[in-house]
Amino acid sequence: MQFRDLQKQYQVLKSDIDQAISQVLTDGNFISGTQVAELEEKLATCVGTKHCVTCGNGTDALTLALMVWGIGAGDAVFVPDFTFFASGETPAYAGATPVFVDVEEDTFNISPASLEEAILEIKREGKLTPRVIVAVDLFGQPADYPRIRQIADRYGLLILEDGAQGFGGRIGQQRACSFGDISTTSFFPAKPLGCYGDGGAVFTDNDEWALLLRSYRIHGKGTDKYDNVRIGMNSRLDTLQAAILQVKLRAFEKYELTEVNQTAERYTKLLGDIVKTPKVRKEFYSSWAQYSILLKDEAQRDGLQAYLKEKKIPTMVYYPKPMSRQGAFRGMDCVKTDLSVTADLCRRVLALPMHPYLTKEEQDVVIEEIKGYLKF
């Protein structure tokens, strides 16, 4: 059993993927081939934004967004404490101060109440300028953007949607990666829409920002690659990955999203009375990058994980340590509010096998072994 079965996905899509790769090899256009522009157009249409700018990875996507906004020293960027390191790393790399915010236990996403508390504390101190809210669509479900947008507008902040795990999610009919002033995603292989290496994308409706993004990602280029008008970076999605992603996007939209949601519903139905299962808000739709349950405490979580490993059932802990406790942020004065929910989640969370190709028979094994260990 695989935690996320990329081998099985490849076998299902093998003919189309092989053909797409072969075309790139035949053309010999490995950088900035036509498939890249085609993919950007398809992704923008899928998400519902005016512009999509692909890049080398999801971390670069966040970095590019912050570059466009000129984020740097003296700026406060608000980041959920329960997320992957890149969400806080990129503001710090830009010279800004990441200010960590607690999350909600039911959805794992940023807490609007904690966010507003942190903003008010930064304003009261007067040492930093509140600039950006990094709202992460954790585990596939969009953050609570209706409330986050109200807060952002109230205090004059920009929203950077970190949709690395959220591509395919939505609120009502609005798709993830369209909620931020700038939004980003990652095509890391294990993401809901993943390539066969690293890749990322940035989404926006702002024409000026889109032009800057396209310049920054290729060494700050102007009219051509030898006209450099600003300091940029080298962050391009290669043509092979774009070709692969076009094939995967078709499968993702056609059936993969439906399949993972059916699998999630079954987990919730059969485990909901045994462990705490994730909640999807009304009118929200998740792409289920992970399906994470909560155990009673750390001892029970670690015991169950070890037991499932013996049974050859893979699990993962996302995340074992709050962002605010990472050594890289020591001395940055990043904590302004209570972060106890995050600390509790890190002790109790456990992600189960989840992907569009997980069979009911495999899922039954996972469920029965969890019941057996917890004596249900």
Side-chain angles (χ1 to χ4, degrees), residues 54-353:
T54 55
C55 59
N57 54 69
T59 302
D60 283 358
L62 294 169
T63 298
L64 285 163
L66 296 173
M67 290 172 73
V68 165
W69 289 335
I71 302 302
D75 294 332
V77 177
F78 301 90
V79 180
D81 199 28
F82 190 69
T83 185
F84 180 63
F85 185 66
S87 305
E89 175 189 28
T90 45
Y93 186 76
T97 300
V99 177
F100 296 113
V101 176
D102 215 354
V103 299
E104 297 177 330
E105 182 182 271
D106 288 345
T107 66
F108 305 105
N109 276 330
I110 191 169
S111 162
S114 180
L115 169 63
E116 187 161 24
E117 183 181 343
I119 294 169
L120 289 172
E121 182 59 21
I122 288 294
K123 290 175 71 67
R124 187 192 66 77
E125 288 183 351
K127 298 176 183 177
L128 299 170
T129 302
R131 291 290 306 281
V132 178
I133 300 165
V134 178
V136 180
D137 302 336
L138 203 69
F139 300 161
Q141 181 174 189
D144 189 352
Y145 289 103
R147 292 179 65 192
I148 293 168
R149 178 57 69 185
Q150 289 177 350
I151 294 169
D153 290 348
R154 187 176 303 137
Y155 299 104
L157 275 68
L158 294 160
I159 297 176
L160 174 52
E161 178 186 3
D162 182 348
Q165 299 179 20
F167 188 87
R170 64 175 188 262
I171 304 175
Q173 295 305 309
Q174 185 174 353
R175 292 285 191 101
C177 299
S178 71
F179 294 106
D181 295 293
I182 295 179
S183 302
T184 67
T185 197
S186 167
F187 301 126
F188 182 80
K191 293 296 190 285
L193 178 63
C195 58
Y196 287 162
D198 273 321
V202 189
F203 301 86
T204 186
D205 289 326
N206 186 295
D207 295 341
E208 180 182 351
W209 293 347
L211 285 172
L212 285 171
L213 288 165
R214 295 186 186 282
S215 172
Y216 279 129
R217 72 170 172 175
I218 307 178
H219 302 290
K221 79 179 187 71
T223 55
D224 62 63
K225 67 178 181 178
Y226 297 117
D227 175 35
N228 305 100
V229 298
R230 54 184 59 87
I231 301 299
M233 61 197 297
N234 181 22
S235 185
R236 297 168 296 194
L237 182 72
D238 70 68
T239 310
L240 278 169
Q241 303 303 340
I244 292 163
L245 282 166
Q246 287 197 47
V247 175
K248 286 197 172 192
L249 180 60
R250 291 196 295 269
F252 184 77
E253 293 188 294
K254 186 175 181 180
Y255 65 86
E256 286 188 350
L257 264 177
T258 300
E259 293 293 333
V260 293
N261 272 273
Q262 289 175 352
T263 298
E265 288 173 9
R266 196 159 183 268
Y267 267 141
T268 300
K269 179 181 179 180
L270 298 176
L271 290 176
D273 293 333
I274 300 167
V275 295
K276 185 172 178 57
T277 54
K279 174 185 176 182
V280 178
R281 293 178 178 276
K282 186 178 180 181
E283 303 298 327
F284 282 57
Y285 185 83
S286 178
S287 57
W288 296 105
Q290 281 91 37
Y291 188 94
S292 293
I293 60 174
L294 291 176
L295 283 304
K296 182 179 65 176
D297 52 32
E298 188 171 11
Q300 189 182 67
R301 189 270 308 279
D302 292 350
L304 175 60
Q305 185 175 36
Y307 173 80
L308 293 176
K309 184 178 181 180
E310 290 177 0
K311 301 296 182 180
K312 302 189 183 308
I313 297 173
T315 60
M316 295 289 289
V317 175
Y318 301 106
Y319 298 93
K321 182 189 291 188
M323 289 272 280
S324 58
R325 299 183 188 178
Q326 296 288 353
F329 300 118
R330 191 175 295 117
M332 286 193 189
D333 195 22
C334 296
V335 178
K336 303 297 177 182
T337 61
D338 176 73
L339 301 171
S340 57
V341 174
T342 293
D344 184 57
L345 291 177
C346 289
R347 291 188 289 264
R348 298 169 56 207
V349 70
L350 187 66
L352 305 180

